[in-house]
């Protein structure tokens, strides 16, 4: 049987886009974990419940200003997260199309995670489901998030391994010989 796999020479591998892809994907992963931690802290401290009750609005303690600032910060972070995901999609496509080996595999994983996050989401209305069903959906959402983080981390590791491989292949190449 004839080998029909396409081999891209090391000097033609998209090394800079792959490095940018790994860094931006790692930043996206860190932002996602930090956002989850922030929501957890706000929920456990009771800040959101106090602000939602409106008692401090009547007392004149400036909760409305805090809510507006937090809302604007949240919208800004959402815009940054979407921009980073879009960058991952564009860089992922470049690396998948022009790359080979581990670079292509890692970029494919990162591209799959980014596209899943951009085009698919899950939400539910608490009043429409029972307590047990809501708990099951909550656990499934956590498991999906953990799976997404795991695949992202695996993709980043595979891309970095591919980057090392391409750098070694470029360094081993004899100058002047094609």
């Amino acid at each position: 049987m004839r080998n029909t796999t396409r081999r891209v020479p090391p000097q033609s591998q998209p090394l800079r886009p792959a490095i940018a892809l790994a860094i931006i994907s790692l930043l996206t992963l860190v932002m996602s974990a930090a956002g989850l931690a922030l929501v957890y802290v706000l929920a456990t401290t009771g800040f959101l419940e106090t602000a939602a009750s409106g008692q401090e609005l009547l007392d004149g303690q400036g909760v409305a200003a805090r809510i507006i600032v937090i809302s604007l910060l949240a919208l800004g972070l959402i815009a940054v997260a979407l921009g980073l995901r879009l960058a991952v999609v564009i860089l992922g496509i470049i690396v998948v199309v022009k790359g080979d080996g581990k670079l292509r595999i890692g970029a494919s994983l990162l591209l799959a995670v980014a596209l899943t996050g951009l085009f698919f989401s899950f939400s539910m209305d608490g009043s429409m489901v029972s307590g047990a069903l809501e708990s099951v959906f909550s656990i499934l959402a956590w498991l999906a998030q953990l799976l997404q983080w795991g695949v992202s981390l695996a993709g980043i590791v595979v891309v970095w391994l591919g980057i090392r491989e391409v750098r070694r292949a470029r360094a081993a190449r004899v100058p002047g010989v094609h």
Side-chain angles (χ1 to χ4, degrees), residues 102-103 154-168:
K102 290 181 179 124
L103 285 181
I156 292 167
V157 168
V158 173
V159 167
W160 277 114
L161 290 173
I163 290 168
R164 271 190 20 205
E165 186 177 277
V166 169
R167 284 183 174 165
R168 271 187 270 140

Side-chain angles (χ1 to χ4, degrees), residues 39-176:
V39 168
Y40 178 76
V41 166
L42 289 175
T44 57
T45 59
F47 174 79
L48 296 176
E49 293 167 0
T50 303
S53 71
Q55 289 298 324
E56 291 183 10
L57 288 174
L58 299 174
D59 297 339
Q61 305 242 347
V63 173
R66 283 193 287 175
I67 291 173
I68 291 171
V69 169
I70 289 175
S71 298
L72 290 175
L73 285 174
L75 287 175
L77 288 174
I78 289 169
V80 168
L82 285 174
L84 288 174
R85 287 217 181 214
L86 183 61
V88 168
V89 168
I90 292 169
L91 291 169
I93 290 171
I94 291 170
V95 175
V96 166
V97 169
K98 293 184 176 183
D100 194 24
K102 290 181 179 124
L103 285 181
R104 179 179 285 167
I105 294 168
S108 297
L109 290 171
L110 293 172
L111 185 60
V113 170
L115 289 175
T116 302
L118 281 176
F119 295 113
F120 299 104
S121 67
F122 175 76
S123 64
M124 66 178 170
D125 185 11
S127 64
M128 296 183 65
V129 294
S130 69
L133 191 57
E134 186 176 354
S135 296
V136 168
F137 281 140
S138 176
I139 291 170
L140 289 176
W142 271 98
L143 290 175
Q145 183 66 48
L146 289 175
L147 178 66
Q148 184 179 13
W149 286 346
V151 172
S152 292
L153 195 57
I156 292 167
V157 168
V158 173
V159 167
W160 277 114
L161 290 173
I163 290 168
R164 271 190 20 205
E165 186 177 277
V166 169
R167 284 183 174 165
R168 271 187 270 140
R170 284 183 179 181
R173 224 178 115 226
V174 178

